Every structure is written in C-alpha cells, then in structure tokens.
Amino acid sequence: MGQVFSDTSKKDDNEDSMYRSFTEYFKKIKVENKIISPETIQSIELNLKKGNMQETNTVIMTALKNIDSVPINIAVTGESGAGKSSFINALRGVKDDEKDAAEVGVTETTMKITPYKHPRIKNLDIWDLPGVGTLKFPPKDYLKEVEFQKYDFFIIVSATRFTKHEIDLAKIITLMKKNYYFVRTKVDSDLDNEKKCKARTFDQEKVLQQIRSSYLDTFRNNKIDEPLIFLISNHNLRDYDFPALMDTLIKDLPVQKRHNFMLSLSNITEAAIDRKYSSSKQFIWLEAFKEGALATIPVLNTIQGSDMEKLEATLYHYQVLFGVDDESLKVIAKNSQVPIEKLKEKLKSHSLLENKEEETLRKMLLKYLEKFASATGGPLATGLYFGKTFYFHHLFLDIVTEDAKVLLRETYSKD
C-alpha cells in the first residue's frame, strides 16, 4: 500500500509541476505573439490542474493540427506597374530572378487570379489579383469574382496614387468584414529623385511625410476613414514601413495562423528572427506537454542510431525555417559574392552533428541543460523532465537562431 501511495504522490507532484510550468511559460508571452488562443490555454491549464493528461493531450493535438493545416490566403491587388509582383516575391522571401518568382517587368496587366505558394510554408498562399480598374464591373462584383471570402486580408498596392476604383474597393472590403492595407511601393525611387532635384534642402523624413499626407488627403476627400498606409521599397525591406506592415499583419491574423505566418518572415531584422524564435519555442513546448513529462533525466538516456537520424532531421528543419540551410546559403553566397565555405565557417549549426559520438552529444546536451535551467528556471528547476528530444529541439533552435543573426549581420555589413 505504501508503494502505491508513493507512486500516486509522485504522479500528483509531476502533474502539478507540469501545470505550474505551463502557466508560468505562457504567462510571459505577449498576447500578440501567442500562437494559441486564450481559450485553448485556459482549457490546457484546467486539464493539467485536474491531472487529466488524456484530455490535455487531445486539446494540444487539436491546436497543433489547426496550426499546421489551417490555410493562410493573402490577396494582393493593384494596377500594372505598381510593383505588385516584386511585393509578392518580397512576402515569399524570393528574389525576382529566382525560379518560381512572380514575373516582374511585364507591361500587360494581370487579367487572371494567380496563386503563389510560399517556398517554406506549405499552407501559405499569396494571390495576385487583377487590378479592380482593369475589369469591366464595379468593386462589389469584383470581390465576388475573386472569391473574396477565402482571403484573410487584402493588400492594395500602388506606386503613384490610389485611384477611385481602389478606394471604392476598400469601402466594399470593409462592408464585407475583411481587413485591407494600403501599401505604397517604390518610395526609394521617390527619395532618390527628390534628392537629385533638391540636394541642398533634401530631408528624407519630410518627403516621406509629404507622401503619406497626400494619401491621407485623398482618403478624406473620398470620405473614407484614414487607414494605415505603409511606405515601402520592395528591394530594401529593412527600410521604411515593411517591418511595421509585418507586425500589423501578425497582430490582425487569427491566432492559429500566426505561427506559420511568423515563420514565413524574411530575416531582414533581428526582431523578425526573434519573432520566429519565440513562435518556434512555443511550438516545442506544446509538443512537449502533448507527450507528457518523462520521469528520467534526459542526459542519461542512450542515443540510438534512430535518434541520430531524428536529430539530423530536426536540425535541418530549423535550418530551413531560419534560412541557414545549404540551398539558402547558396543564394546568399551568390548575392553577397562570398564563397559558401566562408559563410559556413561563421555558422555553428553546420558542424554541430559532424562528430556523432554519443559521448560528445551527451556532454553537449548536459552543458545546455545547465544553461537552460539557470536561464529559465524552467522544467529542471521544478524537477520536471520532458526527455532528450525537448532539450535538443531547444538547443538546435538556439544555435540556428544565432546563425541566422550572424548571416544577417554578414549580409548587411556589406551594404
């Protein structure tokens, strides 16, 4: 009887630790960065508190399945010459001259709906829509023709001014209970021209404000509430309003779609990389809680051959998501005119599993476990263990994230 009581107490302590760890972890994450809804978090917490691991598993499995499978559809429309194709390529993290890029520099206007898949995120599609002014029916019929209900939001692109057609389209989109965003491209060209004409009095911030104000005047004159206007350059995404546009889209998307959209972001700033890191970390924790806590210390587990294959696949998965895999490095090397071997010398993840001796991996994991516990006060601090997979995921994610930042600094140091 005493043994049964002891086992029961241990089980209760373990479940209580899981509840406290889950609650503390998700409490720290900002609302706009969470990848599961408050209702789902509350349901998981409630089931963990009750010790109902089967129901906890079901709730988390459903949430993860939704994240993996729910489609994200972005509609981009605008007149010919507005830089719409280059903008679509920018959203996909694809150069204009790469394979499967949206074709740029085409004089004729797009007359059909064309979907473009994101190269890394399988459920993210960006749709190139015909400009509303090119078709022979009003905006309301235009939305029916393009099946407006399937899009999460509309981005209306212009390089000069927004026409009455596009403003009327925005009004109808609002009536249809959808979000839209106005994007003004090619502001770098405007600034260059202004600088050439008025070299002595040129003021970049003043010119940008003048562009923004001219649009706001147009909206006021057409009796439309002042929308957010994002001034961008398709070829200099770090500059101007492109990062702010991405932040806005993430905030406005349904919570279950945030994870994959965040993973789709190009590594144009450290903030974008950190967002991908935070989102991936949440996913790892959810996977760990789904599987439940293991009672053994992970570093004492044997690393089998099949484990090594899984570890290699896991590391490669993060390398692809963060753009530090071989294919991504080839593109970066070509664009920066730096040999790929030189780039790899600066990165840790490419040599991480070269030495496959179990003892080496065990030491590496032990060192990371100590760092993880002291930095987070996480599972180890409460005696809670999720098994070696959980910690290797964290280790790989940390290393690949740092590699992405090294590449970012390397790339932009040459500008």
Side-chain angles (χ1 to χ4, degrees):
M1 276 303 281
Q3 181 62 44
V4 173
F5 178 78
S6 175
D7 289 345
T8 302
S9 298
K10 184 178 179 181
K11 180 173 180 288
D12 289 344
D13 289 344
N14 199 37
E15 287 166 356
D16 184 58
S17 291
M18 289 187 73
Y19 166 72
R20 285 187 283 111
S21 293
F22 182 90
T23 302
E24 285 301 314
Y25 176 70
F26 278 92
K27 189 188 294 181
K28 296 174 185 175
I29 301 168
K30 292 180 180 178
V31 173
E32 63 269 23
N33 288 337
K34 285 186 169 76
I35 65 172
I36 53 175
S37 68
E39 293 78 17
T40 300
I41 291 173
Q42 189 176 22
S43 177
I44 294 169
E45 287 176 340
L46 184 61
N47 283 296
L48 282 173
K49 195 169 187 179
K50 290 179 177 178
N52 191 341
M53 298 307 298
Q54 186 173 349
E55 188 57 31
T56 299
N57 187 291
T58 300
V59 173
I60 296 177
M61 278 184 65
T62 301
L64 292 176
K65 185 178 179 181
N66 284 341
I67 288 170
D68 270 339
S69 62
V70 68
I72 307 171
N73 290 292
I74 302 171
V76 180
T77 185
E79 300 301 324
S80 179
K84 186 171 52 164
S85 294
S86 288
F87 177 71
I88 288 170
N89 291 334
L91 285 177
R92 298 170 66 227
V94 172
K95 297 288 184 183
D96 289 342
D97 59 353
E98 284 185 45
K99 182 184 177 183
D100 299 327
E103 194 172 358
V104 299
V106 183
T107 54
E108 63 268 18
T109 305
T110 302
M111 296 301 290
K112 63 178 183 177
I113 302 168
T114 308
Y116 291 95
K117 285 207 161 290
H118 193 280
R120 295 190 309 276
I121 309 303
K122 63 184 179 181
N123 55 340
L124 172 55
D125 288 305
I126 302 169
W127 299 76
D128 186 355
L129 306 186
V132 64
T134 63
L135 304 179
K136 305 301 181 183
F137 37 76
K140 189 172 183 179
D141 293 334
Y142 171 88
L143 285 179
K144 291 177 183 175
E145 288 289 324
V146 300
E147 300 179 86
F148 79 92
Q149 69 277 0
K150 74 181 175 187
Y151 306 113
D152 291 288
F153 51 81
F154 289 77
I155 296 175
I156 304 173
V157 178
S158 173
T160 52
R161 64 188 181 86
F162 294 111
T163 67
K164 189 173 187 308
H165 287 297
E166 291 156 343
I167 292 170
D168 287 344
L169 176 61
K171 291 178 180 178
I172 299 297
I173 291 172
T174 302
L175 290 175
M176 300 293 189
K177 307 295 185 187
K178 292 280 185 179
N179 287 338
Y180 68 86
Y181 307 90
F182 281 112
V183 168
R184 168 63 154 79
T185 61
K186 303 185 181 180
V187 294
D188 49 341
S189 298
D190 293 315
L191 291 169
D192 287 343
N193 291 335
E194 189 76 11
K195 193 171 185 178
K196 287 175 185 175
C197 296
K198 303 176 182 177
R200 288 189 302 111
T201 60
F202 175 75
D203 182 330
Q204 177 170 306
E205 288 306 314
K206 186 176 179 181
V207 175
L208 291 173
Q209 188 53 48
Q210 286 172 346
I211 295 172
R212 199 182 302 276
S213 296
S214 69
Y215 282 109
L216 291 175
D217 288 341
T218 301
F219 297 129
R220 291 188 198 105
N221 293 337
N222 283 274
K223 295 182 172 55
I224 185 173
D225 291 338
E226 293 180 10
L228 289 173
I229 303 166
F230 299 92
L231 310 182
I232 74 165
S233 162
N234 289 330
H235 303 293
N236 298 299
L237 299 180
R238 282 164 59 96
D239 299 330
Y240 319 115
D241 293 339
F242 189 85
L245 172 62
M246 295 302 101
D247 289 346
T248 302
L249 298 182
I250 289 168
K251 179 173 63 71
D252 291 350
L253 272 171
V255 65
Q256 72 271 22
K257 301 190 180 191
R258 283 182 190 156
H259 177 65
N260 279 324
F261 188 76
M262 279 194 267
L263 293 183
S264 78
L265 298 179
S266 298
N267 295 345
I268 56 172
T269 62
E270 289 203 7
I273 295 171
D274 286 338
R275 267 211 137 128
K276 291 163 78 167
Y277 172 81
S278 173
S279 190
S280 298
K281 200 171 181 181
Q282 287 180 67
F283 203 90
I284 292 171
W285 272 79
L286 288 168
E287 284 279 7
F289 278 102
K290 182 192 74 174
E291 298 301 328
L294 300 179
T296 54
I297 300 175
V299 76
L300 298 181
N301 288 345
T302 303
I303 299 172
Q304 306 287 348
S306 58
D307 288 332
M308 182 57 65
E309 290 177 9
K310 290 177 183 176
L311 292 178
E312 288 173 346
T314 298
L315 178 59
Y316 178 70
H317 169 72
Y318 289 122
Q319 286 177 324
V320 170
L321 286 181
F322 283 78
V324 300
D325 59 300
D326 283 343
E327 287 303 310
S328 298
L329 290 181
K330 285 178 187 176
V331 175
I332 294 170
K334 180 182 175 183
N335 292 334
S336 60
Q337 297 184 321
V338 175
I340 192 169
E341 293 75 20
K342 282 283 185 186
L343 290 178
K344 284 189 176 182
E345 285 176 7
K346 301 174 184 293
L347 309 180
K348 294 180 180 178
S349 64
H350 282 266
S351 59
L352 191 59
L353 296 181
E354 281 182 1
N355 187 339
K356 298 181 181 181
E357 293 180 13
E358 180 180 333
E359 190 62 29
T360 302
L361 288 175
R362 286 156 64 94
K363 287 178 180 176
M364 181 173 67
L365 180 57
L366 179 58
K367 187 176 180 181
Y368 183 72
L369 289 173
E370 292 170 353
K371 175 186 170 186
F372 184 90
S374 62
T376 65
L380 287 178
T382 63
L384 181 65
Y385 301 104
F386 289 105
K388 60 179 176 287
T389 303
F390 172 79
Y391 294 102
F392 269 122
H393 271 270
H394 270 279
L395 173 63
F396 293 165
L397 178 60
D398 279 1
I399 290 173
V400 168
T401 298
E402 185 52 40
D403 278 357
K405 290 182 179 181
V406 168
L407 271 184
L408 176 69
R409 292 190 285 268
E410 178 73 15
T411 301
Y412 286 100
S413 67
K414 300 183 182 302
D415 288 354

